[in-house]
Amino acid sequence: MESLELEIEQWRSYVGRRPGVDVHDVEELESHLRDQIADLHDVGLADDEAFLVAVKRLGSVDDLSHEYAREHSGRLWKQLVLAGGATGGGSDARLDAVARAWPEALGFAVAAAVALQIARLLAGFPDDEPDWLFRNASLFVLPFLAAWFARRRRLSSTAWLATAGVFAGLAVAVNVFPYDEDAATEVLVATHLPVLSWCVVAFPFMGATLRSHERRMDMVRFTGEWCIYYALIAFGGGVLLALTLAVLEPTGIDPDTVATWLLLSGAAGAVIVAAWLVEAKQQVVENMAPVLTMLFTPLFAAMLVAAAVAYAVDGLGEAFDRELVGVFDALMVAVLGLVLYGLSAREPSDRPGWMDRIQLVAVVSALALDVLVLGSMVARIGDLGLTPNRVAALGLNLLLLVNLAGAAWLSARFLAGRTTIHRLERWQTSYLPVFAAWVAVVVLVLPPAFAFS
Amino acid sequence: MQIDKDLVAASATPLVLAILDEGENYGYAILKRVRELSGGELEWTDGMLYPLLHRLERLGLVTTEWQVPPEGRRRKYYALTSEGRTALVEHKRQWATVTQALRDVFGGGDLGALALGGA
């Protein structure tokens, strides 16, 4: 009997190491295995025979792991999204392949950095600060990220062309617009274009499929993890830059020049390096991200409740100026980010827990604040008329209001056991294109609609 | 008789839903029931049942719970939800149509054996 236990133990650790199979799955499979062994025992098989037959009946571990991975794409989306990687070799091998592909990632990172530096030199930055440099900044970097994904996913040439075409179209549009001097619409374009470009990157990232809800969730996950890696790199880069400047100080080299070269190149290159890290070193951040979400969701919830109560008690007063609206918008987006990221990091089969409740509190408070912001904004528009900024802010707030209301309604139903987390996920993944469409409207429709003022 | 792989795959979901409609159950017992119902003709790779069950769970058609029966080991039980029942009704409707069509075209009495569970 002891040898059987030993064999089961070895089998457990072997199966448990496979990507896509988690501890609960192993436990369930083990339970199955033991039932099978017991039955085979009853018909007269010896321990080792029964074990072998039972394991054989479960099917090849490769196939099984692949099947689990398909169902639980959230657990190892990085292997799955590597197009063409679905056949041949274990997923471990595929992961190694990503890790080995670092020279390619580095090449794209350097290309992005070079592109940004060339643009900067042409613009004469930092002596000159032409508007076009800021407006186009994301277009010097994100196409390289898109191209890197397009290569990784081995997109068809049609998909390559489509991606390139969209970037080219955007570049032409935002640069042929005849903006007025100090135009508000130009600032809107400069701030919204990076977001829109990120949405374009989603296309090659998702392997040129736009409709798959699972892939969209992967994109959300990727975005969250990319942010974490980028922040880490930025922090390390900051330390490196400060030390470099300190070390070089006695040589009399102009620190501003060094900073311009290092900082801008690093910021551009890190965009692609962070993406590569997300793909290659998934497991590291996979453990960290849910912890961060768990840490910050309650803190944000507490802050939102406090703010909602404070505003409810004190009233809005006169303080609700444009800057504060911006702050509130940022806050709403942060809450939405937490909700989305919490969803993507969640184990779908878990029952409603305290985290879901806290998240609902955060969403409801955010909803209350959003209603306040909207009220004040509508009043402002009533008094002072429409401006590009107000339209952009109003649109964003309306979208957030609908999104948060839907999320609150569905998570309340989920907590009451009346619907599944799946519905909530679907709501959010179905809504993502709406945000993308709105950003596109701000970049492409608002400037002409307001005569480029 | 070797049943075609595609046919096995197509019938897997309705079969599992129908078995769970008889009452909550765990994986191993569901497979035994499948063998019993098909007289051993339907052979599944055992392990593949679980990803299928997990998919049904994600879609909200079944719920799960780890239970320890008085005698025996901890097992993960699956139970049908009301949405699962709705889905089963839909599956039944579709299979009834398919089997009826096959029965008509195969023509005749001696193919009564084709009727799947009287559907």
Side-chain angles (χ1 to χ4, degrees), chain A residues 105-168:
Chain A
L106 195 64
F108 277 91
V110 169
V114 168
L116 189 64
Q117 289 293 354
I118 291 174
R120 174 188 76 84
L121 289 173
L122 288 178
F125 182 84
D127 300 328
D128 273 340
E129 296 185 351
D131 291 335
W132 66 263
L133 184 65
F134 299 111
R135 195 168 65 228
N136 289 296
S138 55
L139 289 179
F140 298 126
V141 177
L142 290 180
F144 289 96
L145 183 61
W148 183 66
F149 275 124
R151 251 186 81 82
R152 290 216 60 77
R153 310 278 188 268
R154 298 185 200 147
L155 291 198
S156 66
S157 38
T158 330
W160 269 94
L161 277 178
T163 315
V166 172
F167 272 121

Side-chain angles (χ1 to χ4, degrees), chain A residues 198-340:
Chain A
W198 191 258
C199 298
V200 180
V201 170
F203 178 69
F205 174 87
M206 299 195 295
T209 51
L210 287 174
R211 288 169 182 276
S212 159
H213 290 273
E214 284 73 26
R215 295 274 170 98
R216 283 184 199 168
M217 213 42 165
D218 291 344
M219 184 65 197
V220 169
R221 228 172 262 135
F222 167 76
T223 306
E225 281 158 18
W226 180 88
C227 287
I228 295 175
Y229 268 123
Y230 197 84
L232 288 176
I233 295 174
F235 179 74
V239 173
L240 177 70
L241 184 64
L243 285 174
T244 312
L245 293 182
V247 167
L248 289 182
E249 209 197 342
T251 65
I253 292 174
D254 179 25
D256 282 349
T257 315
V258 177
T260 312
W261 281 100
L262 280 186
L263 194 65
L264 288 182
S265 307
V271 169
I272 284 140
V273 174
W276 171 72
L277 282 172
V278 173
E279 295 249 308
K281 305 284 174 200
Q282 182 71 30
Q283 271 128 352
V284 180
V285 82
E286 214 167 45
N287 297 332
M288 198 159 61
V291 178
L292 285 178
T293 321
M294 235 158 76
L295 198 66
F296 280 104
T297 306
L299 294 176
F300 265 92
M303 185 266 257
L304 286 163
V305 170
V309 169
Y311 280 108
V313 172
D314 280 357
L316 279 175
E318 299 302 305
F320 233 76
D321 58 12
R322 190 208 287 180
E323 256 173 47
L324 202 56
V325 169
V327 170
F328 271 80
D329 280 350
L331 184 62
M332 298 302 147
V333 172
V335 171
L336 179 68
L338 273 180
V339 167
L340 270 175

Side-chain angles (χ1 to χ4, degrees), chain A residues 24-25 27-32 34-37 39-40 54 56-60 63-64 67-68 70-72 75 214 348-351 418-420 422 425-426, chain B residues 26-29 31-32 35 43-66 73-78 81 83:
Chain A
H24 299 295
D25 299 334
E27 198 177 343
E28 189 176 30
L29 286 172
E30 183 192 343
S31 161
H32 180 103
R34 287 181 184 277
D35 280 329
Q36 181 80 72
I37 291 173
D39 275 359
L40 291 169
K56 180 106 183 12
R57 280 204 173 170
L58 270 181
S60 117
D63 292 350
L64 201 58
E67 207 52 36
Y68 268 104
R70 250 177 39 158
E71 173 48 27
H72 301 281
R75 290 187 194 146
E214 284 73 26
S349 57
D350 283 354
R351 282 169 193 286
R418 298 244 283 282
T419 190
T420 55
H422 180 64
E425 269 184 40
R426 268 297 155 95
Chain B
Y26 56 95
Y28 186 68
L31 276 173
K32 272 173 90 168
R35 283 206 192 95
E43 274 298 333
W44 291 3
T45 310
D46 288 7
M48 296 303 175
L49 171 68
Y50 294 98
L52 169 67
L53 284 169
H54 295 182
R55 189 172 68 85
L56 297 179
E57 185 189 1
R58 180 166 59 80
L59 299 177
L61 305 186
V62 302
T63 55
T64 64
E65 200 174 2
W66 284 93
R73 274 193 331 279
R74 210 164 98 91
R75 290 191 180 103
K76 195 171 176 188
Y77 278 79
Y78 294 81
T81 62
E83 280 157 71

